[in-house]
Amino acid sequence: SKLLQKNSMALYFSLLVGTLDVVLDSSARVAPYRILYQAPDSLVYWTIACGCSRKEITEHWEWLEQNLLQTLSIFENENDINTFVRGKIQGIIAEYNKINGIKEDDDTEKFKEAIVKFHKLFGMPEEEKLVNYYSCSYWKGKVPRQGWVYLSINHLCFYSFLMGREAKLVIRWVDITQLEKNATLLFPDMIKVSTRSSEHFFSVFLNISETFKLMEQLANIAMRQLLDNEGFEQDRSLPKLKRKSPKKVSALKRDLDARAKSERYRALFRLPKDEKLDGHTDCTLWTPFNKMHILGQMFVSTNYICFTSKEENLCSLIIPLREVTIVEKADSSSVLPSPLSISTKNRMTFLFANLKDRDFLVQRISDFLQQTTSKIYLEKNMSGSYISSDDEVRERQFNLNGNGIPTATQALMTMYRRRSPEEFNPKLAKEFLKEQAWKIHFAEYGQGVCMYRTEKTRDLVLKGIPESMRGELWLLFSGAINEMATHPGYYEDLVERSMGKYNLATEEIERDLHRSLPEHPAFQNEMGIAALRRVLTAYAFRNPNIGYCQAMNIVTSVLLLYAKEEEAFWLLVALCERMLPDYYNTRVVGALVDQGVFEELARDYVPQLYDCMQDLGVISTISLSWFLTLFLSVMPFESAVVVVDCFFCEGIKVIFQLALAVLDANVDKLLNCKDDGEAMTVLGRYLDSVTNKDSTLPPIPHLHSLLSDDVEPYPEVDIFRLIRCSYEKFGSIRADLIEQMRFKQRLKVIQTLEDTTKRNVVRTIVTETSFTIDELEELYALFKAEHLTSCYWGGNSNAIDRHDPSLPYLEQYRIDFEQFKGMFALLFPWACGTHSDVLAARLFRLLDENGDLLINFREFVSGLNTEKGINWRFLLGLFPHLWVILLIIGKKSSQENRNYLRMWSQENKSKAKNSRDLPKLNQGQFIELCKTMYNMFSEDPNEQDLYHATAAVTSLLLEIGEVGKLFSVQPTKEADSSSNNCSKTIQSELFQKKDSQQYPLEQHKPFQGSLVTNDEEAICTESTLGMQMEDIKLEDSSPRDNGACSSMLISDDDTKDDSSMSSYSVLSAGSHEEEKLHCEDIGEDTVLVRSNHTTSLHRSTSIDRDWAITFEQFLASLLTEPALVRYFDKPVSMMARITNAKNVRMMGKPITSASDYEISTMSG
């Protein structure tokens, strides 16, 4: 009953098993060693232990022998043994988890195996969370590959292993431009995934609808990340997985499913954006207005109980738990099984029946009620007083000179309402009848948030809401009443905190205040302007991601006319954050998305006009102004507010219906238009003629009509007839259809905006670099991908700090050193060898102009620009880099560092002028520069020749520096002797014998530790340089007159024969071996030690402070060595490096020659 096995099989058999492993999703390849338990009469094996090595599995076996096998002999039958073994192993696991504080994972064992395989196959870090995986076929050309598609939070991955051939595909969700579920003749169900550069087709899904919905949801999360720059956070508050749940469902998949359901729930009932659905059940609701039991569904969430009928628009109900007083189970009967009664504060009682699990439901509602009660009491205590009735609110007066924050507690329309000369006329009579109709409706269906909402309610809205009730009903239908009720005092506090604060948003608000309905008397004085200023400023401070956007002022001014100031604020919140999502951000993404939806609807509903409108380009022009202001800017005021009435009741579908009705009414005229100007004139005159004959207000001049020419007026169009026509012709448009179309357009719009941003960035920077436009676009994509990767996989700095939307696009995205180091290793030609990190740290410190430990794309490209082909242009660019780095090391003033950087970085200055302006280099800095050169040549195929050439250049420069001293200062004889010895010491120490086994390299400190202040840096470096030069005593062995270094005294043959010498060994200066020092080439962390001593070295002043060389001297010396000239003439393809970097980032490996079955190119 025991078995120890190792998965070592013959080649063919391993290929077959590998194929079956993918097709059948077996976990046999997860661990190479396993201990299995099998009962004698069973074909089922139980995994007891697993290990990655024979040693590990042997230890497990020995433990089993000592602690388990001896106990088995006391059992008499196999069933008892089976029960004991399984219980024992599970108990051990539970005890281990308890001791080590390991929380129970919601994921099933089968899914955990899939997670392990996912991370292993695609090289993903642990932070990348797998959501689900599905069996499918991937089509490459005309050949299908059967395998598995893995859907994680940030990637879509596919893997296939058939008969020894692997196929891998990795696509980031942020790169997807289109996601479609297509039907073909051969395959009725196929998913098409498009990126900027390629298209991918998947088919043969067992559950294609579920797969596609999940793909849509993950792509939406990615688009939100591009918009808001926020990573995904899993909801840990989900209930535990039930035993009957599917075996392959992950906790993350359940989280996303719950999010999708909550989103639909909030949209259906206009609830606050943080409300989470707890559950729903079928039931019936007794409706007293028609004395019927209506079949529908009850929804329960943290703060609300909602109901909607199965038959659309028949009845819906919203009961906030803050309004509930009693929840009780009524007596069951055959007529009314399992009834539940809910009573509210306004003395309404709702009777639900046919509840399947009534007891559980009552318990959940009771729990939520208890939380709600505690929350209300807490808010009362915090605010000091809690306003519980509308009467108390109405009693508060508007007072600019009061002690509190001045806010308007009346709608501006009530203060500035202008009556016609006749006190009572037919229009007022009609308005009175409308008010009476609504009062009758309230008496029959209830009033306030808990009223029954029926088809009759919608019909009353379409006939026009009375002026006096408009604000109240806008609050009710939009759901803003709920947020206002749950946030008492929030608006006043926001106004107080935002008063006197100034930023870009407040400047824009001030500029637009007097452009907001200037024709209305309410905004022709300071009281109305001040109220508008407070609301807009308060919202800008509430939601800095939106701040302020043009068109918000027009909409808000209308809200203030009919609602109190605080109510207008919460109506604006409902508009910006729920009803018109993403409309009012800086790029009006939501409006652009709905513009695309409108184009699709126009193609479907007015096809005879679609092609004409596309040719004229009118749709894109009209839709933004119509949608952003809800027709308020293009219609007479008294007509446009009727559109707003319908919008708050029915949502965005009303705007689409009305826009289509306007196009349909002008088909003939638009078809005869020759250009877009003529078409705009036709539509503008039509909208100007839309009138509201029921309005009791004196006509307010419409700005658009005032600017129009003196053409004969267009026949009047009744607004109510236009709305009724829109429902008759286009009422079939459903909210769920609009959401589906929005998703499709959102992908397209956001990716188009990203491409536009990329082009703008490239256009701005292309003149500053030697890169081509294509190379810059690829570099920008790689740079931004690195930034986004840090958002969802974490980093050393906060993602919010790395993204500042207020900056120009060129500087918005920034990366820290760890990210830069990874890109440095992939893109920079001289990033090789063991010292790549040191070089990266030096360059990063140089590029980080403001010292915030982050660099933006402009700074990144300026550093990489020197790598555009390693040639003499590169040389001229690279060594000023290194030159300035070394100068910075020795400086204390940050301003000086920046000045040095600007000297050579300005492209409009000549190279000659740049090099002349560079300060001279002293001996300590010269040592660092030479070590940097050695680091660059590490692991180069011509490493030996390059080291010899560098030694020669170094000796020549040392002699030049000595000669230069004669023209600058006359040293004493003692000083001259000392400096001569120092120069020989430098020569000796820079080219000392390299022996990595005898002298292991020190590990450099983490970069965060090395990024100290300039003062600290200068002290540390000076101390290090002093230690390097201590007690150096060398004999006089000056370089020869011809400028050749002492290394030339050794022939190439001698060098080759001496196996103990490294590729860059030279003759040591001096004859005393005990005084010889060894210099490890480890960049800025170099430490010199005596070969036979371990004592620490003390600071010395051996460095010659008068010795110096110029950049021109350094460059001229380099040109004397052919090996260095060839090295810097060597061309480098930046595009090849970019392609390789993309492949490494996405596939975890460099580009290799691939078979037909390997999909190695990264999409997007």
Side-chain angles (χ1 to χ4, degrees), residues 108-122:
T108 61
E109 292 299 324
K110 188 175 182 65
F111 195 81
K112 290 176 187 176
E113 294 169 3
I115 292 173
V116 172
K117 185 178 290 187
F118 167 71
H119 288 140
K120 180 181 178 183
L121 290 174
F122 303 103

Side-chain angles (χ1 to χ4, degrees), residues 683-857:
L683 294 171
R685 292 188 62 213
Y686 178 84
L687 290 170
D688 282 338
S689 68
V690 177
T691 60
N692 179 3
K693 295 180 180 179
D694 294 346
S695 175
T696 59
L697 301 175
I700 299 173
H702 185 230
L703 186 60
H704 188 275
S705 62
L706 291 175
L707 298 175
S708 60
D709 51 21
D710 297 328
V711 185
E712 63 178 272
Y714 200 95
E716 288 187 351
V717 179
D718 183 64
I719 181 63
F720 298 107
R721 184 178 300 171
L722 180 61
I723 290 175
R724 191 161 55 249
C725 178
S726 72
Y727 270 89
E728 290 171 357
K729 292 187 176 182
F730 311 108
S732 59
I733 298 174
R734 297 170 54 89
D736 55 351
L737 172 67
I738 291 174
E739 286 305 316
Q740 290 177 12
M741 298 171 75
R742 273 179 167 177
F743 165 74
K744 180 181 176 181
Q745 294 298 327
R746 191 176 293 116
L747 287 179
K748 181 180 177 181
V749 166
I750 293 179
Q751 297 294 14
T752 300
L753 289 173
E754 292 294 310
D755 291 341
T756 302
T757 300
K758 180 171 66 176
R759 285 194 296 270
N760 291 337
V761 167
V762 169
R763 193 180 301 117
T764 303
I765 205 173
V766 68
T767 57
E768 304 174 11
T769 73
S770 55
F771 292 113
T772 66
I773 290 178
D774 290 341
E775 288 172 336
L776 282 173
E777 287 185 349
E778 292 293 339
L779 283 172
Y780 180 80
L782 200 61
F783 185 89
K784 187 171 182 182
E786 191 67 32
H787 165 82
L788 291 173
T789 299
S790 66
C791 291
Y792 52 73
W793 285 347
N796 294 327
S797 54
N798 193 332
I800 298 176
D801 297 335
R802 290 192 298 268
H803 180 248
D804 187 354
S806 64
L807 294 174
Y809 287 123
L810 190 62
E811 302 172 10
Q812 278 191 9
Y813 297 101
R814 292 171 286 183
I815 58 175
D816 57 25
F817 173 67
E818 288 302 319
Q819 297 166 284
F820 174 78
K821 185 168 67 174
M823 297 188 72
F824 178 87
L826 293 171
L827 295 175
F828 286 68
W830 38 289
C832 58
T834 57
H835 310 293
S836 175
D837 290 355
V838 176
L839 289 175
R842 290 182 176 184
L843 183 57
F844 184 88
R845 187 185 297 118
L846 175 67
L847 297 177
D848 182 17
E849 293 191 29
N850 58 2
D852 62 353
L853 306 186
L854 299 168
I855 62 172
N856 58 41
F857 182 64

